[in-house]
Amino acid sequence: MTTPETAPAPEAHARATAPGLLAALAPLLSAESDAEAPAAGVDPGDLEQAVWLRLLEQLKETGAAPERPAEWLRRAVRAEARRARRTHDRERPYQDEPADGPGGAEPHGSPELSLLVAEGRRSLRAAVTRTPGRCPKVLTAMLDPEDPTYREIAGELGISQGSLGPMRSRCLGCLRRMLAAEVPAPGRRGRVR
């Protein structure tokens, strides 16, 4: 018979049962995650990790495994899938400017998209020419499609390789401020209450 002084602590008991519980629930969790993940728009592995984390948090908090682990696991997978769906519904990728295809090729699609990309490049090149001091030369060298190394750029500009990084940072900061002043602030997004 165990007395209160000799009884194992709840956390120790949970740690002792956790490996067996995790091994027993792994196939069920994998199957449930594979079933729920496509509808939630997440990777099944991500869903599994979220449920394992929830289970380990519960083991730490309560010190004991759920009474009906399989039932708890099914509910937890569905709850995590709902959470992932809600998150996915709220998040929107940033798509104001289309990305170029691999290797700098024009994006496949409409002529309008190609025109927008070309206009963006022209605007950038025009802004680069308006930057002060050595910045036009530094930024033009950085935008070279052949992607030269710092050593090559420094040799071309006749400056030390060590001073190229700070100069590049200052020039990019200047260019960023110039472009930010030309672009109107975005409108209010999201739901208006």
Side-chain angles (χ1 to χ4, degrees), residues 9-25 52 54-73 75:
E11 282 186 29
H13 178 66
R15 273 187 247 122
T17 60
L21 180 64
L22 297 180
L25 292 177
W52 282 135
R54 186 182 275 201
L55 177 62
L56 293 174
E57 287 171 346
Q58 179 174 346
L59 289 172
K60 184 177 179 183
E61 283 177 18
T62 63
E67 281 187 36
R68 296 184 189 124
E71 210 175 286
W72 179 91
L73 185 100
R75 283 194 318 268

Side-chain angles (χ1 to χ4, degrees), residues 59-95:
L59 289 172
K60 184 177 179 183
E61 283 177 18
T62 63
E67 281 187 36
R68 296 184 189 124
E71 210 175 286
W72 179 91
L73 185 100
R74 286 186 186 100
R75 283 194 318 268
V77 169
R78 285 180 184 83
E80 286 299 323
R82 279 192 307 274
R83 185 196 56 74
R85 252 190 316 273
R86 282 191 310 269
T87 302
H88 183 275
D89 289 345
R90 289 184 194 138
E91 292 177 347
R92 297 286 180 250
Y94 184 72
Q95 295 180 352

Side-chain angles (χ1 to χ4, degrees), residues 6-146:
T6 61
E11 282 186 29
H13 178 66
R15 273 187 247 122
T17 60
L21 180 64
L22 297 180
L25 292 177
L28 177 62
L29 177 58
S30 179
E32 289 288 329
S33 296
D34 286 343
E36 292 288 332
V42 295
D43 183 57
D46 292 342
L47 199 55
E48 282 184 50
Q49 285 183 351
V51 173
W52 282 135
L53 182 61
R54 186 182 275 201
L55 177 62
L56 293 174
E57 287 171 346
Q58 179 174 346
L59 289 172
K60 184 177 179 183
E61 283 177 18
T62 63
E67 281 187 36
R68 296 184 189 124
E71 210 175 286
W72 179 91
L73 185 100
R74 286 186 186 100
R75 283 194 318 268
V77 169
R78 285 180 184 83
E80 286 299 323
R82 279 192 307 274
R83 185 196 56 74
R85 252 190 316 273
R86 282 191 310 269
T87 302
H88 183 275
D89 289 345
R90 289 184 194 138
E91 292 177 347
R92 297 286 180 250
Y94 184 72
Q95 295 180 352
D96 282 355
E97 186 174 318
D100 291 345
E106 290 295 322
H108 300 290
S110 68
E112 293 87 4
L113 193 59
S114 297
L115 182 66
L116 287 173
V117 170
E119 181 59 32
R121 287 185 182 142
R122 275 193 296 275
S123 297
L124 178 63
R125 296 274 180 191
V128 165
T129 61
R130 293 191 315 266
T131 54
R134 288 181 147 177
C135 289
K137 289 182 180 180
V138 171
L139 293 172
T140 300
M142 293 286 179
L143 291 171
D144 189 342
E146 293 178 14

Side-chain angles (χ1 to χ4, degrees), residues 145-166:
E146 293 178 14
D147 196 24
T149 64
Y150 264 38
R151 176 178 284 164
E152 293 168 343
I153 294 171
E156 179 184 321
L157 298 175
I159 59 175
S160 71
Q161 187 175 343
S163 65
L164 182 58

